[in-house]
Amino acid sequence: KNEVEQSPQNLTAQEGEFITINCSYSVGISALHWLQQHPGGGIVSLFMLSSGKKKHGRLIATINIQEKHSSLHITASHPRDSAVYICAVRSVYGGSQGNLIFGKGTKLSVKP
Amino acid sequence: EAGVVQSPRYKIIEKKQPVAFWCNPISGHNTLYWYRQNLGQGPELLIRYENEEAVDDSQLPKDRFSAERLKGVDSTLKIQPAELGDSAVYLCASSLGQVGTEAFFGQGTRLTVV
């Protein structure tokens, strides 16, 4: 079982729809990151969370430490939001302490 | 200030040839990571540096991969000889530290081995 699981794997939405991407993890973490990756490979950090909720423009990220779950929401989605969204956690235990552990990503396509 | 800079952006080589990737992290960032990302997968750690010391290279295929971070700043990742299965995006990231610090990523180098 992967230490970081994302759902859904693929998501197609119509412009304007509210979008939710989920991330569950099984390890102890010091922080959780939501990242955006456009075709071509570059990764942009959207949020870093250790508790609660953060908002930036149309993006909202929440984390529930007890349930080991985080969600990324996009309000009023737009075609330019089309990208792969990756959840990554920073482990606090064992040999992987300090490393980022990545989910496989959610590929979002927003149709006009 | 520039972010994490990687070069080249794209590289196509024949199998059995050597290849090298270069990464310039954000100024002052002590921690540097190299990741490999296969198509449709999340990035996987190859090596993590704290300053000039490789503190986690457990996932680095040491028979053909090598990395260095001279003076704790720039880093190079080398593959020699390259195999078809090495085709992937190689990402470099840097952060101020480990716990509670944000990681910043470069644009990546897309390697195609033919």
Side-chain angles (χ1 to χ4, degrees), chain B residues 7 35 40 53 60 77 104 107 114:
Chain B
S7 67
Y35 293 93
E53 182 184 359
L60 189 72
L77 177 69
F104 295 84
Q107 289 292 304
V114 297

Side-chain angles (χ1 to χ4, degrees), chain A residues 34-47:
Chain A
W34 280 105
L35 309 165
Q36 182 190 57
Q37 186 172 34
H38 282 280
I43 290 180
V44 174
S45 179
L46 298 174
F47 295 104

Side-chain angles (χ1 to χ4, degrees), chain A residues 30-31 33 35 37 40-43 45 48 86 90 95-100 102-104, chain B residues 9 33 35 37 40-43 45 48 56 91 98-103 105-107 110:
Chain A
S30 61
H33 300 255
L35 309 165
Q37 186 172 34
I43 290 180
S45 179
M48 185 181 73
I86 302 173
R90 194 181 291 281
S96 64
Q97 182 178 5
N99 290 340
L100 284 173
F102 292 79
K104 292 185 177 181
Chain B
R9 285 280 284 125
Y33 311 79
Y35 293 93
Q37 186 178 24
Q41 302 293 316
L45 181 72
R48 184 180 101 229
D56 186 351
L91 291 158
Q98 299 178 47
V99 177
T101 63
E102 189 170 0
F105 289 80
Q107 289 292 304
R110 183 177 294 277

Side-chain angles (χ1 to χ4, degrees), chain A residues 69-83:
Chain A
H69 180 269
S70 175
S71 293
L72 176 69
H73 306 284
I74 305 175
T75 61
S77 60
H78 191 276
R80 65 175 175 266
D81 297 326
S82 298

Side-chain angles (χ1 to χ4, degrees), chain A residues 20-59:
Chain A
T20 296
I21 300 171
N22 296 299
C23 175
S24 296
Y25 54 92
S26 57
V27 296
I29 70 168
S30 61
L32 181 144
H33 300 255
W34 280 105
L35 309 165
Q36 182 190 57
Q37 186 172 34
H38 282 280
I43 290 180
V44 174
S45 179
L46 298 174
F47 295 104
M48 185 181 73
L49 293 165
S50 54
S51 65
K53 173 181 175 179
K54 285 190 176 180
K55 184 176 189 294
H56 185 258
R58 296 181 293 106
L59 301 177

